Amino acid sequence: MKAVIVKKPGGPEQLEIVEMPTPKPKKGELLIKVQTAAINRTDIVTREGKAGYALNPILGVEIAGTVVETNGNETFSIGDRVMGLVNGGGYAEYAVMPADRAMKIPDSLSFEEATGIPEVFLTAYQTLYWIGKLQEQETVLIHAGASGVGTAAIQLAKKLSNAKVIVTAGSKRKLDFCREIGADVLINYKEQSFEEEVLKATNGHGADLILDFIGADYWEKNLASIKKEGRWVLIGILGGSEVEKMNLFSLMSKCVQITGTLLTPRSDEYKALLTKEFMETVAPYIERKEIMPVIDEAFPLDMVQKAHQYMEDNRNIGKIILKIN
Amino acid sequence: MKAVIVKKPGGPEQLEIVEMPTPKPKKGELLIKVQTAAINRTDIVTREGKAGYALNPILGVEIAGTVVETNGNETFSIGDRVMGLVNGGGYAEYAVMPADRAMKIPDSLSFEEATGIPEVFLTAYQTLYWIGKLQEQETVLIHAGASGVGTAAIQLAKKLSNAKVIVTAGSKRKLDFCREIGADVLINYKEQSFEEEVLKATNGHGADLILDFIGADYWEKNLASIKKEGRWVLIGILGGSEVEKMNLFSLMSKCVQITGTLLTPRSDEYKALLTKEFMETVAPYIERKEIMPVIDEAFPLDMVQKAHQYMEDNRNIGKIILKIN
């Protein structure tokens, strides 16, 4: 089968389509004929050789496709349309997926749309609720509001918790989109000082919760934007991973909680539990089209280098998809 | 009345005993004739002008003494021996204390011993349980094991949770003391590489919970010592507050939670709830002398400069007390 590997750690030019053996499902796994795979930031980190935990030579953690081998599992049948996270191996014609992580695709969604659900919605759900403990009507600051996780988080925070949603993004086009899907306060970080705007929008108190995809560049400003005893979830490092001179005393005097998280390196059991709770809670909203995946563009497999470059250029609103079969 | 103020931000030489008006209790407050006050790290930070939240010109957040005015409160009577936290104003002959934060002193404890309870035990309890979520038989790494909070945390983690307690300290004398009060694994940070010892003691997994009083100097080593998905509570900056080059990606890939905390700037309501839960849970152990405050030395009030210097010299095991009346 065709599959995408990394020749050596580096830029998009290191991605190569090669012939690899079709994987064999182990106990508890399904074999999926992959229709579409999503491009994720974690794929870029892996491509650059910066992820310590990549065990599969084939890139890709998120797919949609059809079941071609159930391997004895009784929940799924051959031909079922499923979406879900895989432990690498997603950029390929076939992939194996733990059955307890597979989600049946609602009839209303295409494969392309379905590929926009697992990583961003599970991450947003995990970040907002399991880690961020978002409560009804709290204020949440979501950076990179027009990103995949950003668009998922805006919708979840609004629909599930009626939160006050403050977003940052770098263009009017992106901010307009954030408003369409539910954001209340829109901040163009290129034109406005976001920490001042957050304080203005919260009577000087700051946000109860920050979803931070940016990291180092926003460190001080996030610290200024967060409420006393606020929660700050670090889920991305688009603005660099290295904070020069971090002052710990300010974390203490503001009693701030920072949690670093990634979904990919979590255990299979964790992902299965998260998938189950997510489907129970959110699938009804998706079926009613009150919550929808946001897809930016779909590239054919042989344009995988371009698809990575497109993500790194940071121009997308929502998910970037690879069409495989 | 006599009271200790700070002439201008600086060293112990800036402490001065002056004459100040006796404070008047507001609604919900008791007036206490102070017998003993404890020296706390937060007093030093305040003296240095680095604490943003100090509102009282008189230093001191922790006292033991007798009630001289109940101000209509019916839980306490004139003459009751009480211990507790105050919003500044502790290094003085009289101080006011919110009644819902006052704790009756068990008959078995002297005033000096009682002064060793509130700050360190409430902080240790808050840190281990409210923030650190310590579970039965988990592994906890406690830095500065012979410090006030350290000695309280060792006893609580052992008696309440049967935790595996790993401590660091800088001398055999301090480590021996930690063992006496319940520590399981003793690390002399001057002679051993503590992260290696922690990994050895945990089969390479790391500690579930770290109580960090050190801050910057131990940043990388704590990150190496913590278990994946571990909790790290930052409650002191003895080793500096500024981390040069903090790598955020490692927080994310290890899914670590860091919570900065101080007890002093928390709300009155928070302290009252904490006091109540602490007394219900821990007082029976104190009454049975299974858990005991650790007092290093008591200085007369006119040696307050020396008492601060003594704390900064880092030679004490347990609390340093000022004798006032």
Side-chain angles (χ1 to χ4, degrees), chain A residues 215-216 219 228-229 234-237 241-248 252 255-260 262 265-266, chain B residues 215-216 219 228-229 234-236 241-248 252 255-260 262 265-266:
Chain A
W219 191 262
K228 196 177 152 194
E229 300 179 29
L234 180 66
I235 40 175
I237 47 170
S241 75
E242 206 167 82
V243 181
E244 303 270 342
K245 298 191 188 303
M246 184 188 67
N247 188 324
L248 298 176
M252 289 166 58
C255 301
V256 167
Q257 180 179 84
I258 297 180
T259 310
L262 285 176
R266 298 277 183 179
Chain B
W219 191 262
K228 195 178 153 194
E229 299 178 28
L234 179 68
I235 41 174
S241 73
E242 205 166 83
V243 181
E244 304 269 343
K245 298 190 188 305
M246 184 187 63
N247 187 325
L248 297 176
M252 288 166 60
C255 301
V256 167
Q257 180 179 85
I258 298 180
T259 310
L262 285 176
R266 298 276 183 179

Side-chain angles (χ1 to χ4, degrees), chain A residues 100-305:
Chain A
D100 58 11
R101 227 190 276 167
M103 298 177 271
K104 286 188 185 167
I105 300 175
D107 290 341
S108 55
L109 294 185
S110 68
F111 282 116
E112 279 183 27
E113 287 170 331
T115 330
I117 296 277
E119 178 77 9
V120 297
F121 275 89
L122 289 172
T123 298
Y125 187 86
Q126 174 212 21
T127 307
L128 286 172
Y129 295 101
W130 281 24
I131 297 171
K133 312 283 182 200
L134 181 66
Q135 304 295 310
E136 195 76 12
Q137 297 194 311
E138 280 191 330
T139 297
V140 56
L141 169 60
I142 301 174
H143 289 302
S147 67
V149 181
T151 54
I154 292 168
Q155 295 181 75
L156 292 173
K158 209 66 213 174
K159 295 286 157 106
L160 272 56
S161 308
N162 195 21
K164 180 169 187 170
V165 178
I166 306 177
V167 298
T168 68
S171 71
K172 183 168 182 312
R173 183 178 72 96
K174 288 183 174 180
L175 289 169
D176 285 347
F177 186 81
C178 292
R179 179 166 40 216
E180 269 175 46
I181 59 173
D184 299 294
V185 180
L186 312 166
I187 304 173
N188 186 329
Y189 67 81
K190 290 183 179 164
E191 296 171 359
Q192 295 167 289
S193 163
F194 82 76
E195 70 278 26
E196 286 172 21
E197 299 301 317
V198 171
L199 293 174
K200 248 187 254 174
T202 56
N203 292 321
H205 293 303
D208 297 290
L209 176 62
I210 297 179
L211 263 54
D212 179 11
F213 307 85
I214 308 298
D217 284 359
Y218 279 7
W219 191 262
E220 290 295 330
K221 292 175 176 185
N222 277 328
L223 205 47
S225 303
I226 200 165
K227 198 169 173 175
K228 196 177 152 194
E229 300 179 29
R231 292 99 59 203
W232 173 349
V233 186
L234 180 66
I235 40 175
I237 47 170
L238 297 181
S241 75
E242 206 167 82
V243 181
E244 303 270 342
K245 298 191 188 303
M246 184 188 67
N247 188 324
L248 298 176
F249 189 71
S250 42
L251 290 186
M252 289 166 58
S253 57
K254 252 184 140 169
C255 301
V256 167
Q257 180 179 84
I258 297 180
T259 310
T261 186
L262 285 176
L263 189 49
T264 309
R266 298 277 183 179
S267 70
D268 284 359
E269 190 193 5
Y270 184 101
K271 287 175 187 165
L273 278 172
L274 179 65
T275 301
K276 186 165 178 291
E277 184 178 311
F278 169 78
M279 283 300 275
E280 285 166 8
T281 311
V282 183
Y285 291 87
I286 297 175
E287 281 158 18
R288 293 195 302 268
K289 297 209 170 198
E290 289 175 28
I291 286 181
M292 277 294 285
V294 180
I295 308 298
D296 185 283
E297 191 159 344
F299 291 83
L301 181 62
D302 59 12
M303 286 173 72
V304 61
Q305 293 185 354

Side-chain angles (χ1 to χ4, degrees), chain A residues 74-88:
Chain A
E74 293 180 355
T75 314
F76 294 96
S77 308
I78 289 174
D80 276 355
R81 287 165 20 108
V82 295
M83 58 188 180
L85 297 175
V86 293
N87 296 326

